[in-house]
Each structure stands twice: as C-alpha cells, then as structure tokens.
Amino acid sequence: MPKDSRVELPATKTELAFKGRVWDVVTDHFDFNGHTLARDFIRHPGAVAVIALNDAQEVLMIRQYRRPVGSYLWELPAGLLDIKGEALETAALRELAEETEYQAANIEHLLTFHPSPGGNSETITIFLATGLTPVATDYVRTGEETDLQPTWVPLAEAADSVMRSEMKNSIAAIGILALARKLGV
C-alpha cells in the first residue's frame, strides 16, 4: 500500500522573496542527488477544518466569499494555526464556534493532507465533530467572515454536489468524501 514518507533535506540557504500577512514566499536551496536545487514556495502555518455532523447525517457548511477565485464557496468551518502552541483539536473547536456558533461534545481526527505540495508547505487536518449544540461566542467576525451563512446540508447531497463539481473548495471536497466513505454513504 502506498504511504508517503518524510525525508529531511536541510536547506543550505533560505531567501525571503515576499513577506505576507499570513504566509511568506521563500526560496529554499538544498542538495538533492548530488545537485543543488532552488525551489520557490509559500511557507504556510497550516490549518484545521471541521466537518460537523448531526444525528440526521447533515454536515454544517458555511458560504464564504473568496477573492482569488471571485466566488462564494461552500466550505467547512476552518482556520489557520495562528495561535502559538494551540493544539490542533483546540484550534478546530475554536474555529467551529467562531464560524458557526456551535460547540462539539466529541471531536476526532478524520484525515490530514497537503493541498498543494508542489508550491505550498500547508498541511490541513480535518476533524469530525459530533454532539453539537449552539454556543454563544464573543468572537467578532471581520472581512469576508461578516457574511458567513452556516447551513445544514445532507451528507449524501453534499457528496453528490462535490462529484458534480458544484462545490470546488478542496478542503470541503476532501472532508465530505472522506466522511461519506467512513460512513458508507
């Protein structure tokens, strides 16, 4: 069975090409099979996402505007790992509450993946959340988050929408299809 394997190839030099608000673009120089290579990529802090499932087998999704693709996308609640030392599960529960005003009694790892490993260091971990109840939060949404529209969607309908390319957000697509497979939907 195929399995990715981590390898340590230390950078001999790293140059900062662009300093961003959330991520940076760097050039890493490293030795590979007797040759020195240079690769530009986005250095990203990583992120978590939550696929929240209720007893009716509906998933809690949000609609959010995404400027790079000029679209409102249906997504899972998600966010950056931007609080130093915060555990992945804690970040996932925080994002769920901030973006949907729900809390979960149970949270479990669903899967972890690299969305664009050819040019981005980002790793995303998706958690499955169950035992959901509404929660009040003092989080103040800003920017595109001011227009979030949390909505319950039947899991089978969401999976069909992904397969028809009606939902194009990669985190949502991967999470929905992984949960559908896990549950045999």
Side-chain angles (χ1 to χ4, degrees), residues 73-118:
L73 300 181
W74 284 100
E75 304 181 352
L76 301 179
L80 296 171
L81 295 173
D82 54 1
I83 298 177
K84 188 170 180 68
E86 184 177 41
L88 295 175
E89 294 86 352
T90 304
L93 292 170
R94 175 179 52 78
E95 290 294 340
L96 177 65
E98 290 174 355
E99 294 188 354
T100 70
E101 297 183 350
Y102 276 88
Q103 62 186 0
N106 309 301
I107 189 162
E108 68 180 85
H109 177 264
L110 184 61
L111 59 90
T112 300
F113 67 100
H114 302 298
S116 186

Side-chain angles (χ1 to χ4, degrees), residues 18-24 45 80 82:
F18 172 80
K19 175 75 174 154
R21 290 191 246 341
V22 176
W23 50 76
D24 302 330
L80 296 171
D82 54 1

Side-chain angles (χ1 to χ4, degrees), residues 90-169:
T90 304
L93 292 170
R94 175 179 52 78
E95 290 294 340
L96 177 65
E98 290 174 355
E99 294 188 354
T100 70
E101 297 183 350
Y102 276 88
Q103 62 186 0
N106 309 301
I107 189 162
E108 68 180 85
H109 177 264
L110 184 61
L111 59 90
T112 300
F113 67 100
H114 302 298
S116 186
N120 190 319
S121 68
E122 182 177 24
T123 298
I124 297 174
T125 301
I126 301 178
F127 290 92
L128 170 60
T130 56
L132 303 162
T133 55
V135 64
T137 176
D138 59 0
Y139 180 72
V140 178
R141 295 180 186 159
T142 60
E144 293 87 350
E145 288 183 343
T146 61
D147 196 24
L148 293 183
Q149 298 180 6
T151 303
W152 289 102
V153 178
L155 176 58
E157 183 181 311
D160 288 344
S161 185
V162 168
M163 295 308 296
R164 289 190 302 268
S165 296
E166 295 169 347
M167 279 196 289
K168 297 175 184 70
N169 177 278

Side-chain angles (χ1 to χ4, degrees), residues 7-14 28-31:
V7 61
E8 293 297 326
L9 298 175
T12 56
K13 180 168 89 171
T14 298
D28 262 5
H29 301 262
F30 60 100
D31 294 326

Side-chain angles (χ1 to χ4, degrees), residues 16 21 43 45 62 92 120 124 170 174 176:
L16 181 64
R21 290 191 246 341
R43 186 170 49 203
I62 56 173
N120 190 319
I124 297 174
S170 64
I174 290 169
I176 288 165

